């Protein structure tokens, strides 16, 4: 396959969106234990923005060894621009359908499915559906995205001129708490720059990237902030820092660079996701000139500056000191100049989810032998780590028992 979206999994099944050779999309389900393809059905996108990447299916466990996969299919019988379809995750048998005008795609929210609908219209809303029947349970006006959920509660980012984080009881639809994002990062927030969230323990860490308004030339408020999942109270704030890539999830191992009022970048710092304090940093004076890409070892104890086909640099993050690059290896983007996907009947600008490769920092070349990328990149779902290789092939390994966020949340 050529997996181009994130991968979601539940009840022993992994699902992803794959691109066919003719440029069309399909939803693919794979058995987690064997890697065997279980089924595939045509997929599409209707109203999703390129900066959000290709939408992934949502998969929700509905019982022991049972799950429902929900994806966006092409329109049926002239109803809407697309069709939301719920299927048995293991057999692919259709359980229900729902016509769509425009959507950013389905997401798992606890034991339910959350879907932003009519996103291209003034009557945009978020609907919460029963995965077994597709029945509407409750809805909210406006556009929202699920940033975290458990069996009883979900935290949504409500996208508006003044975005808000809100927690909801999933069964009743009752709002539990609310936090205006500007209360954390200051006035002038703009989601156009992009955002990402990650959670560990009882904390949700969010990152908003800077955006320069083309009309006013003003830069939006940006940075990292942490809130308590239980009540929405702000734990810590790190304004005016940009997240660097590749790196860990904001909720696990955020790595950032400060930016001053003149737009000048400082050094690099790894933060503790629980407290926001600096665990290690590289001063700006030690950052090499240009032509490098970041590379981290599996434990992120060092920061490498990879130069392709040339010797690079490496620093110990705990001390900030330069280290010998001999025998130093780091994981970085396999491709640094990716090409947009040649998708049929879609607006241009979509890219596949990035892949990481291991490099020898002394030579700047990829190392030989297939290895699993580090956990800070893949994340883990019930001990399973899933990733896409350079060619779009899907890989999986179970080397743990827990769940943790990866680079993409």
């Amino acid at each position: 396959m050529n997996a181009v979206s994130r991968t979601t999994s539940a009840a022993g099944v992994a699902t992803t969106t794959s691109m066919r050779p003719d440029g069309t999309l399909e939803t693919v389900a794979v058995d987690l234990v064997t890697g065997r393809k279980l089924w595939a059905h045509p997929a599409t996108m209707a109203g999703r923005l390129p900066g959000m990447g290709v939408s992934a299916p949502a998969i929700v466990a509905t019982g022991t060894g049972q799950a429902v996969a929900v994806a966006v299919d092409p329109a049926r019988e002239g109803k809407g621009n697309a069709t939301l379809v719920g299927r048995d995750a293991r057999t692919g048998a259709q359980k229900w359908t729902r016509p769509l005008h425009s959507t950013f795609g389905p997401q798992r929210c606890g034991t339910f499915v959350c879907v932003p609908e009519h996103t291209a219209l003034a009557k945009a809303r978020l609907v919460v559906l029963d995965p077994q029947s597709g029945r509407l349970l409750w809805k909210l006006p406006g556009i929202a995205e699920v940033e975290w959920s458990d069996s009883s509660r979900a935290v949504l980012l409500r996208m508006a001129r003044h975005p808000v984080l809100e927690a909801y009881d999933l069964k009743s639809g009752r709002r539990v708490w609310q936090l205006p994002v500007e209360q954390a990062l200051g006035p002038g927030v703009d989601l156009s720059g992009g955002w990402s969230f990650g959670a560990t323990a009882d904390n949700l860490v969010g990152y908003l990237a800077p955006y320069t308004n083309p009309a006013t030339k003003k830069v939006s408020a940006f940075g990292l902030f942490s809130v308590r999942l239980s009540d929405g109270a702000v734990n810590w704030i790190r304004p005016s820092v940009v997240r660097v890539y590749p790196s860990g999830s904001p909720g696990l191992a955020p790595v950032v660079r400060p930016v001053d009022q003149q737009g000048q970048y400082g050094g690099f710092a790894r933060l503790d996701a629980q407290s926001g304090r600096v665990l290690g940093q590289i001063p700006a004076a030690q950052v090499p000139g240009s032509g490098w890409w970041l590379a981290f070892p599996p434990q992120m104890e060092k920061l490498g500056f990879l130069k392709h086909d040339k010797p690079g640099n490496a620093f110990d993050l705990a001390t900030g000191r330069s280290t010998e690059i001999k025998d130093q290896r780091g994981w970085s983007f396999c491709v640094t100049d990716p090409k947009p996907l040649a998708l049929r009947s879609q607006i241009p600008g979509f890219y596949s989810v990035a892949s990481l490769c291991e490099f020898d920092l002394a030579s700047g070349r990829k190392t030989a032998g297939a290895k699993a990328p580090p956990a800070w990149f893949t994340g883990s779902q019930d001990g399973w780590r899933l990733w896409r290789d350079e060619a779009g092939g899907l890989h999986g390994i179970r080397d743990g028992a827990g769940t943790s966020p990866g680079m993409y949340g």
Side-chain angles (χ1 to χ4, degrees), residues 360-372:
D360 173 26
L361 293 180
S363 66
R365 298 188 181 97
K366 294 177 186 176
T367 61
K371 297 179 180 179

Side-chain angles (χ1 to χ4, degrees), residues 140 158 164-169 172-178:
L140 287 174
R158 303 194 68 178
V164 178
L165 276 178
E166 292 180 339
Y168 284 86
D169 178 86
S172 66
R174 177 181 62 88
R175 191 175 70 195
V176 180
W177 55 259
Q178 179 187 71

Side-chain angles (χ1 to χ4, degrees), residues 163-298:
V164 178
L165 276 178
E166 292 180 339
Y168 284 86
D169 178 86
L170 284 169
K171 290 186 177 179
S172 66
R174 177 181 62 88
R175 191 175 70 195
V176 180
W177 55 259
Q178 179 187 71
L179 174 70
V181 175
E182 290 178 320
Q183 184 176 318
L185 289 180
V189 164
D190 193 320
L191 295 178
S192 301
W195 65 91
S196 58
F197 286 81
T200 51
D202 186 44
N203 298 323
L204 178 69
V205 181
Y207 167 66
L208 266 65
Y211 175 73
T212 302
N213 187 305
T216 64
K217 307 302 181 183
K218 290 186 177 180
V219 179
S220 63
F222 62 97
L224 282 165
F225 65 100
S226 171
V227 299
R228 279 204 307 257
L229 288 168
S230 57
D231 58 11
V234 176
N235 294 312
W236 54 264
I237 305 167
R238 282 278 176 178
S240 301
V241 296
V242 294
R243 182 186 175 198
V244 300
Y245 299 90
S247 65
S249 161
L252 181 68
V255 181
V256 299
R257 296 188 77 177
V259 184
D260 64 22
Q261 294 184 343
Q262 287 70 45
Q264 297 297 311
Y265 286 89
F268 291 83
R270 178 177 170 181
L271 307 180
D272 177 74
Q274 295 296 314
S275 65
R277 68 184 180 88
V278 175
L279 294 179
Q281 59 184 326
I282 310 300
Q286 292 183 268
V287 176
S290 61
W292 46 259
W293 293 87
L294 295 183
F296 290 96

